[in-house]
Amino acid sequence: QVQLVESGGGLVQAGGSLRLSCAASGRIFNINDMGWYRQPPGKTRELVARITRRDSTNYADSVKGRFTISRDNAKNTVYLQMNSLKPEDTAVYYCNAEIEGYGWRLYNSWGQGTQVTVSS
């Protein structure tokens, strides 16, 4: 029905940059909020950043000033630009979207996750 496909994860040195993307596909009428979450090794999943359809954003305190979330509504895609990366940013990153299907169907969808590893 609907799925999110992520790309852009990888290995980077501390202080480096990485850009994640996640595209939604399927029978989509509208996408409301989109966001990025992450799960460090041995820890629970946590919010990184979220963005509304009208580009209002909120960020975890730990990434403010370093990460930027954005979206392209024409492409049903959300991005996460990560700068000044730190080893503590190492985690599996997941994208999330609240999607309206046709017929007022709502889906809270998750991507498969992409590994981001920051070396010191």
Side-chain angles (χ1 to χ4, degrees):
Q1 288 291 99
V2 62
Q3 64 179 219
L4 303 178
V5 179
E6 299 171 315
S7 62
L11 176 64
V12 65
Q13 294 184 30
S17 297
L18 210 58
R19 185 172 183 259
L20 307 182
S21 64
C22 182
S25 62
R27 289 180 54 81
I28 298 170
F29 177 75
N30 182 61
I31 302 179
N32 297 319
D33 289 5
M34 306 184 79
W36 290 94
Y37 294 72
R38 68 187 182 187
Q39 187 167 8
K43 304 192 71 175
T44 187
R45 189 176 301 184
E46 65 184 18
L47 173 70
V48 177
R50 290 194 69 81
I51 184 169
T52 72
R53 186 171 179 82
R54 297 299 300 271
D55 293 332
S56 294
T57 60
N58 68 287
Y59 296 89
D61 289 340
S62 59
V63 307
K64 286 181 179 177
R66 300 188 298 121
F67 291 9
T68 302
I69 189 170
S70 61
R71 63 190 290 168
D72 185 336
N73 292 332
K75 296 181 178 180
N76 290 331
T77 299
V78 63
Y79 305 92
L80 186 67
Q81 179 66 48
M82 303 184 292
N83 299 325
S84 301
L85 283 162
K86 305 174 181 179
E88 49 263 45
D89 295 319
T90 295
V92 178
Y93 284 70
Y94 299 89
C95 65
N96 171 258
E98 183 182 272
I99 299 173
E100 293 183 21
Y102 292 96
W104 299 99
R105 304 172 194 234
L106 290 176
Y107 305 91
N108 186 21
S109 299
W110 292 89
Q112 79 285 355
T114 185
Q115 178 70 48
V116 172
T117 302
V118 184
S119 62
S120 59

